[in-house]
Amino acid sequence: MSDFGALSVLPPLIAVILAIVTRKAVLSLFLGVWSGAIIYTGSVGISQTFDWIIGAIADDFHAQIIVFTLLLGSGTALIWRMGGSYAVRSWALKRLDNKRKVGLATWILGIAMFFDDYANTAIVGSTMKDVSDELRISREKLSYIVDSTAAPIATLFISSWVAFQLGMIEDGYEEAGVSDPPGAVEVFIQSIPFNMYAILALVMVGIIVISGRDYGEMLTAEKRASTTGKVNRDDARPMQDVSAELGDPYADTPRLLAFVVPIVVLIVVTIGSALWTGYEPGASATDMVIEADYAIALVFGSFAMVVSSFVIGFVYDILSLDESVDTTIAGFGIMLTAVSILVLAWSIGSVVSALGTGDYIAGFAEGTVPAELLPVIVFLLAGAIAFSTGSAWSTMGIVTPIAIPVAWSLTGDHTMVAAMIGTIFSGSVFGDHSSPISDTSVMSATFTGADLIDHVRTQIYYAFTVGFVVSFLLIMWGYTEVTPLLLLPVGVVMLAVLVYVLSGYDSYRRGISPEQEYTEFSED
């Protein structure tokens, strides 16, 4: 239990509430860190505040993600200056001529990029942004599709997330004192059907895209974009605005390869570097994926993207060397807001770690929950911690060593342990999707050019809808132990019904058509 008690919850709450109310993410996060320093030191806390901020920057993993983000900004800027974004937009609009097709393409591309959520948001957001703008899809909607695909898919297949999760499973069994535990990979595979939020969040995106129905603040955003062409609201502060900051492209005749080659290089070098970092003599492909260093692979991939853009600009006489260098530096600039928010979100993570926020929240459930309700309680607990800390990974690190021993002591059943693993992953992503201080929310808003708080405010309606259905299914499983493979189709039906009912009611209440128009694109 945290030494600071209920006070340990205040800093993340201050950051979250202020961010939602004021829409000023940087100020809200800084005040959250500062309030934590005041609680931690019992004084004005300025020195401790900047110690945490500097520590967040100095962390090896964080530094690598910062470099990756800045290089991605440069790669994006170079593609824009060479006219690559214009070329891919023209190419795509001949094939993706309505909102449904664009949404489906974004969703499918996000599922295909399962190996890392950061790379997923960068590639999918950058690829689809200009196309969705042309068809008047709000940046909030695009950011939702990207965010609600990237993290969920990364928890279901071999990825950087799964590599971390496997280590957490081993730690949990060790904490439980199980003398002969099953293999971590075996338990992970058994846990996949219990990772209901990730599975149903992906389904929810498909339902929303195919049906064209929205509700809550997303309905307002889509109505605005459809009727006015404003993909962001007037007072929005997009995490990046390439066209506004960089001006018109230099190329008179945009070439598709100016977009395709850098993106392909990014993907190939990232995956290749990841496998290379995980290679040891005699290692299998699975071992290489699990042991890979994804952060440095992202750095290598983004750097290769920039280099390939330099080469294309030079070979096709689109950009001179001086222009490429200037564009690279300008690209750093378009990512400064995202980097600032990432650093402060990581600093909040240092605050909650120092104050013991996660342990305080987790302590309520330990040893007091009946076995039937344990899965849903762990799901909601993980969601609350991820929401407060802004980190799904830290949530898994906090909850797994607690939940697995509790599940084992209550039941002595490996199936219950697998259920715990799935629900921990589910709750972590659920809280991550609902939090304005989440790094994945920041990255999704960044690469889709959305306002961070607008992204969270619109996505949270859908996240809570899926969270409600998952809670119901976990309670059903806890009392009946019906296989989750039968419960998941029930969840799909429930989601479809809820989307139609909620969108119909909200549209009727506002006097708005429940379905967005899927008219074909026209040059007129």
Side-chain angles (χ1 to χ4, degrees):
M1 189 71 71
S2 166
D3 292 336
F4 294 92
L7 287 176
S8 66
V9 182
L10 279 180
L13 280 182
I14 288 171
V16 168
I17 292 171
L18 284 178
I20 293 173
V21 172
T22 68
R23 298 181 189 263
K24 299 183 184 300
V26 173
L27 176 62
S28 301
L29 285 166
F30 180 79
L31 291 177
V33 177
W34 192 3
S35 66
I38 292 171
I39 294 170
Y40 185 71
T41 63
S43 63
V44 70
I46 290 293
S47 177
Q48 183 62 60
T49 297
F50 285 100
D51 281 348
W52 278 328
I53 292 173
I54 293 168
I57 297 171
D59 178 88
D60 286 347
F61 174 78
H62 293 170
Q64 289 168 336
I65 296 303
I66 290 171
V67 172
F68 159 70
T69 303
L70 293 174
L71 287 172
L72 250 296
S74 294
T76 301
L78 286 162
I79 288 173
W80 173 264
R81 282 275 171 87
M82 291 190 297
S85 298
Y86 274 54
V88 76
R89 181 178 63 186
S90 299
W91 179 88
L93 287 172
K94 294 176 183 177
R95 296 156 178 82
L96 307 175
D97 54 10
N98 62 49
K99 291 184 176 183
R100 180 180 286 115
K101 290 180 181 178
V102 172
L104 284 172
T106 306
W107 182 48
I108 292 168
L109 184 58
I111 291 173
M113 298 289 109
F114 59 82
F115 58 89
D116 182 80
D117 58 322
Y118 284 173
N120 190 318
T121 57
I123 294 165
V124 180
S126 300
T127 301
M128 302 306 300
K129 181 171 59 178
D130 292 326
V131 181
S132 69
D133 283 357
E134 198 69 34
L135 289 175
R136 296 190 173 190
I137 298 173
S138 68
R139 292 282 179 84
E140 294 96 326
K141 184 68 165 286
L142 179 63
S143 193
Y144 158 69
I145 297 172
V146 170
D147 196 6
S148 287
T149 304
I153 198 66
T155 67
L156 296 172
F157 295 97
I158 296 176
S159 67
S160 53
W161 282 61
V162 172
F164 178 77
Q165 291 166 341
L166 294 176
M168 289 295 97
I169 292 171
E170 292 176 351
D171 291 345
Y173 268 111
E174 186 176 335
E175 288 286 335
V178 180
S179 58
D180 187 23
V185 174
E186 178 185 347
V187 176
F188 168 74
I189 292 172
Q190 291 176 351
S191 76
I192 290 175
F194 294 98
N195 192 351
M196 293 179 179
Y197 181 86
I199 294 169
L200 293 180
L202 291 170
V203 171
M204 180 70 164
V205 173
I207 292 171
I208 292 292
V209 167
I210 293 169
S211 70
R213 287 174 171 260
D214 291 293
Y215 54 94
E217 293 196 33
M218 190 71 81
L219 180 61
T220 303
E222 282 294 275
K223 178 66 175 178
R224 179 201 68 231
S226 294
T227 57
T228 69
K230 295 178 180 178
V231 294
N232 276 311
R233 63 182 174 84
D234 288 334
D235 297 329
R237 297 189 177 188
M239 296 291 285
Q240 60 157 296
D241 190 347
V242 177
S243 59
E245 296 191 36
L246 298 179
D248 293 330
Y250 289 174
D252 295 328
T253 55
R255 300 173 184 270
L256 190 60
L257 65 81
F259 180 92
V260 173
V261 171
I263 294 297
V264 170
V265 167
L266 169 65
I267 296 170
V268 171
V269 174
T270 298
I271 295 175
S273 299
L275 295 175
W276 174 67
T277 60
Y279 174 76
E280 290 183 1
S284 66
T286 302
D287 293 334
M288 291 166 65
V289 171
I290 292 172
E291 297 300 325
D293 185 339
Y294 288 91
I296 195 63
L298 289 171
V299 173
F300 292 158
S302 56
F303 176 69
M305 177 189 186
V306 172
V307 171
S308 67
S309 299
F310 266 66
V311 172
I312 292 169
F314 176 78
V315 169
Y316 289 94
D317 197 25
I318 304 171
L319 296 175
S320 68
L321 181 61
D322 287 344
E323 289 170 335
S324 292
V325 171
D326 290 343
T327 302
T328 298
I329 296 171
F332 293 157
I334 65 176
M335 290 298 184
L336 287 181
T337 298
V339 169
S340 299
I341 293 175
L342 275 174
V343 168
L344 289 170
W346 289 327
S347 301
I348 283 283
S350 300
V351 172
V352 300
S353 177
L355 298 181
T357 306
D359 292 336
Y360 173 75
I361 298 174
F364 282 116
E366 188 173 8
T368 62
V369 179
E372 293 82 3
L373 293 178
L374 186 59
V376 71
I377 294 298
V378 168
F379 169 71
L380 296 174
L381 176 65
I385 294 173
F387 179 84
S388 300
T389 63
S391 172
W393 285 36
S394 66
T395 300
M396 290 186 280
I398 290 168
V399 179
T400 305
I402 297 172
I404 289 181
V406 170
W408 185 257
S409 65
L410 284 175
T411 65
D413 182 7
H414 291 298
T415 300
M416 178 61 86
V417 172
M420 287 300 94
I421 299 300
T423 53
I424 291 167
F425 299 161
S426 281
S428 299
V429 178
F430 171 48
D432 209 45
H433 277 170
S434 309
S435 177
I437 60 175
S438 157
D439 52 358
T440 53
S441 295
V442 173
M443 299 296 273
S444 297
T446 297
F447 292 111
T448 57
D451 180 295
L452 171 62
I453 306 305
D454 289 350
H455 164 51
V456 174
R457 288 170 68 115
T458 49
Q459 177 168 263
I460 200 168
Y461 290 87
Y462 300 157
F464 271 67
T465 301
V466 179
F468 168 77
V469 171
V470 170
S471 298
F472 173 78
L473 296 180
L474 288 175
I475 292 172
M476 290 289 294
W477 182 82
Y479 282 99
T480 67
E481 295 193 8
V482 173
T483 173
L485 296 176
L486 292 179
L487 293 175
L488 284 169
V490 174
V492 173
V493 173
M494 289 179 66
L495 284 179
V497 171
L498 284 170
V499 167
Y500 273 81
V501 170
L502 292 173
S503 63
Y505 169 75
D506 205 17
S507 300
Y508 174 78
R509 182 176 64 87
R510 302 185 191 198
I512 300 174
S513 172
E515 294 187 15
Q516 298 302 318
E517 295 181 2
Y518 283 129
T519 54
E520 292 192 356
F521 172 75
S522 171
E523 294 285 352
D524 299 331

